[in-house]
Amino acid sequence: MKNSWMKWCVLPVAALAAGTVAMAQEQPAQQQDPTIQQRKENQQDRVAGGVKDGQLTPGETSRLETKEAAINAETKADRAANGGKLTPAEKARVTRQQNHVSKQIYADKHNASTAHYGNNEVDSRRQNQQARIGQGIKSGQMTAGEAAKAENQQRGINQQVRADRAANGGRLTAGEKAQVNREQNRASRNIYNKKHNARTQVGTKPKK
């Protein structure tokens, strides 16, 4: 009887703990005392997830990755000036900056702007490019700066497609489709080059 009473006491506690974890996962990432590198990797994983599932548009991703690139550059400069280390004040500043980006990632992934893809060749190509960029961010093959440039290129293509469709009753002419295909071919080569060059996120080995 005693064991049975203990079992029913433990279950509510376990359920409460599970609920707390689930709620924490829904909030912007605010780890207690992560290292700078751990925090950066976590942010990149969240961005990659948003790109993959369409929660982040190319424009949103480009802005986020531009901010990440700026933080990375600042951190690199600070470390170079201090024998490879960050001072307590510099660590605190980077943490504040990453907190700001973390909130922006959460807001962008939960707003009304999402990537929409139709069942056609042009949109399938767009979706495939996004998947490749997301994988490059996730694996570390693309730096934040490279991802920002790749997504900015996709944003430009998307804007052109949207304008052409608006001018033609929701369709693209054969000439416009060919133009988009040429632009995506260039974008595809850029993505490949960025994923296979010597520049990677810190801690990632270049892919040969």
Side-chain angles (χ1 to χ4, degrees), residues 6-194:
M6 290 179 66
K7 173 183 176 182
W8 291 107
C9 286
V10 170
L11 281 174
V13 174
L16 179 61
T20 302
V21 170
M23 289 179 63
Q25 291 175 339
E26 281 297 313
Q27 299 303 315
Q30 300 285 346
Q31 301 180 46
Q32 291 299 313
D33 189 25
T35 66
I36 299 299
Q37 181 61 24
Q38 287 172 336
R39 188 72 184 277
K40 184 174 78 168
E41 290 175 0
N42 179 58
Q43 304 278 61
Q44 290 299 86
D45 285 348
R46 293 171 62 206
V47 171
V51 172
K52 181 180 179 181
D53 61 22
Q55 286 182 296
L56 292 175
T57 67
E60 290 171 336
T61 306
S62 178
R63 287 189 291 272
L64 289 170
E65 291 293 80
T66 297
K67 291 180 181 179
E68 288 286 358
I71 295 172
N72 294 345
E74 184 177 355
T75 302
K76 183 178 180 180
D78 288 341
R79 283 185 168 142
N82 294 304
K85 297 184 178 181
L86 296 177
T87 67
E90 289 167 342
K91 287 181 180 179
R93 186 183 67 246
V94 172
T95 297
R96 288 193 298 271
Q97 293 171 333
Q98 287 287 22
N99 285 344
H100 177 75
V101 174
S102 178
K103 292 175 182 177
Q104 190 62 53
I105 293 171
Y106 181 87
D108 287 346
K109 290 178 71 174
H110 293 80
N111 63 18
S113 298
T114 57
H116 297 286
Y117 306 106
N119 186 23
N120 57 72
E121 184 178 353
V122 170
D123 284 356
S124 293
R125 188 79 185 274
R126 289 172 53 214
Q127 188 173 15
N128 180 62
Q129 303 282 54
Q130 286 301 96
R132 293 172 64 206
I133 294 171
Q135 189 276 333
I137 296 172
K138 176 76 174 177
S139 68
Q141 289 175 277
M142 297 180 78
T143 66
E146 289 175 330
K149 291 177 182 178
E151 285 291 59
N152 197 47
Q153 190 173 15
Q154 287 299 307
R155 179 177 63 171
I157 294 173
N158 292 346
Q159 288 174 340
Q160 179 184 333
V161 170
R162 186 162 54 247
D164 288 343
R165 281 176 170 159
N168 295 303
R171 297 171 180 263
L172 295 176
T173 66
E176 289 166 345
K177 288 180 181 180
Q179 174 64 24
V180 171
N181 192 54
R182 286 192 295 270
E183 291 178 2
Q184 285 289 24
N185 286 342
R186 285 193 291 269
S188 180
R189 288 192 292 269
N190 286 338
I191 293 170
Y192 180 89
N193 290 337
K194 287 176 171 57

